[in-house]
Amino acid sequence: MTASTSHLKRWARTTESVLQRTLTAIGLSQSTARIAADSQAYWTSSHGKRWMANSHWREAPIFDDNDLWIRMGMQHLGMVERSAWAARSGRPWRRVVDWGCGGGANAAAFAPHTGELVGVDISAETVAECGRQVALVCDTPFRGVTVDVAEPETAMVDIGSCDVFLCLYVFELIPTPEYGVRLLHIARDLLTPGGLALIQIKYDDGRWLSRPRRREYRRELAGMTTYRIPAFWQLVERCGLTPVSIELVPRNELDERYAYFVIRKR
Ligand SMILES: C[S@@+](CC[C@H](N)C(=O)[O-])C[C@H]1O[C@@H](n2cnc3c(N)ncnc32)[C@H](O)[C@@H]1O
């Protein structure tokens, strides 16, 4: 691709992104049900290279010839371990739930440290791939649960309570910021008292382009849902959970504007 073609593509993407947010700002957002249906269709039906990369499967080209896939899981494990140590609520972790487990980068890092790993995802194939990756690193039992985007709460009966709840690179892909409240309630209800959650969001830094999109799911999956950092902190508290720490990453190899919240169940 020449420099001018890639410049043109970037310009077209930015223009489309501004247009969608303008339509949302004048009241033309799509319904949550419509966005949820588009999300369900995307994650369960496309299996090309881009889908694999978006699902963080280990064999996706972005993880070729580098250790990013392993590093992601280890970094997240480190974040939870530091908070657990500070709160003197260390292991054993009876059960770890990985919501939106994708290809298993986190599951594979946490599985050796827990009695059971539950991987939850929309795609049954992705859940199976996550289980395969866990089996490659340890004997910890893995349980896969597939969830419907429109009805995340229905998965709870198949999961059971947990000591650690993970949700990484998923909140930016959910239909709306309000849907995130449902996931926070699920985390609260699954966690045992004193249990920890590690939830990553993409933050809204005040620029128009970093606002929630609320339209046309497939065109900018990873820009659908964003939060202002103080607003998310307060949302966590309103859901009955206690934020413990935030780590901000303005940009890394995956994308930009990441905030990692470690959260404790009171
Ligand atoms: C970017 S990958 C992240 C995978 C993994 N959490 C990681 O850190 O590598 C996003 C995953 O979230 C899943 N996903 C998307 N929307 C979801 C939702 N509403 N509930 C559960 N999983 C979802 C997708 O199927 C995909 O596997």
Side-chain angles (χ1 to χ4, degrees):
M1 200 189 306
T2 65
S4 59
T5 321
S6 85
H7 180 74
L8 207 63
K9 278 194 167 173
R10 221 178 14 253
W11 177 83
R13 260 201 313 272
T14 306
T15 308
E16 195 272 344
S17 208
V18 170
L19 171 69
Q20 298 302 340
R21 284 170 177 86
T22 307
L23 292 172
T24 290
I26 61 171
L28 295 178
S29 55
Q30 291 176 329
S31 69
T32 304
R34 162 72 196 275
I35 304 171
D38 288 349
S39 164
Q40 181 79 26
Y42 176 77
W43 294 107
T44 52
S45 62
S46 45
H47 300 96
K49 281 196 175 142
R50 184 164 173 255
W51 177 91
M52 257 189 196
N54 287 335
S55 305
H56 289 181
W57 279 42
R58 192 174 189 169
E59 65 197 84
I62 52 161
F63 301 119
D64 271 354
D65 303 325
N66 61 58
D67 63 353
L68 177 58
W69 193 88
I70 302 266
R71 258 191 298 125
M72 282 191 314
M74 297 316 285
Q75 276 166 359
H76 302 145
L77 177 63
M79 288 178 193
V80 176
E81 281 189 320
R82 279 194 298 280
S83 294
W85 182 82
R88 293 186 178 76
S89 66
R91 300 181 205 138
W93 296 327
R94 204 173 36 87
R95 181 179 293 132
V96 172
V97 170
D98 188 3
W99 194 282
C101 59
N106 305 304
F110 280 77
H113 308 290
T114 181
E116 185 185 41
L117 197 302
V118 181
V120 183
D121 205 286
I122 298 168
S123 157
E125 283 184 57
T126 286
V127 168
E129 167 64 9
C130 180
R132 277 191 291 276
Q133 294 297 336
V134 167
L136 288 175
V137 293
C138 64
D139 295 332
T140 300
F142 172 84
R143 206 146 45 81
V145 175
T146 49
V147 64
D148 196 300
V149 180
E151 303 285 345
E153 295 82 6
T154 57
M156 291 171 69
V157 287
D158 296 326
I159 297 174
S161 63
C162 63
D163 299 317
V164 174
F165 180 95
L166 306 170
C167 194
L168 293 143
Y169 314 115
V170 176
F171 265 64
E172 65 221 52
L173 306 167
I174 60 178
T176 60
E178 296 74 31
Y179 184 97
V181 176
R182 292 170 69 182
L183 294 188
L184 286 172
H185 284 154
I186 290 172
R188 178 198 61 200
D189 294 345
L190 289 179
L191 279 169
T192 50
L196 292 173
L198 175 62
I199 296 180
Q200 168 274 333
I201 60 161
K202 191 174 258 188
Y203 58 86
D204 172 349
D205 62 6
R207 286 175 304 153
W208 185 261
L209 280 174
S210 72
R211 292 175 167 204
R213 190 173 150 101
R214 296 182 186 270
R215 293 180 51 82
E216 301 293 334
Y217 187 82
R218 276 174 184 255
R219 303 197 68 141
E220 195 189 336
L221 310 171
M224 280 311 289
T225 290
T226 56
Y227 300 86
R228 289 296 190 97
I229 290 165
F232 193 74
W233 182 284
Q234 287 159 13
L235 206 57
V236 168
E237 289 182 324
R238 279 206 296 279
C239 290
L241 295 161
T242 305
V244 175
S245 65
I246 316 181
E247 193 165 320
L248 297 182
V249 178
R251 175 169 284 284
N252 67 12
E253 293 122 298
L254 291 169
D255 203 349
E256 59 174 18
R257 291 183 283 114
Y258 287 152
Y260 301 83
F261 282 73
V262 177
I263 294 163
R264 196 172 52 241
K265 162 105 170 227
R266 286 172 204 152

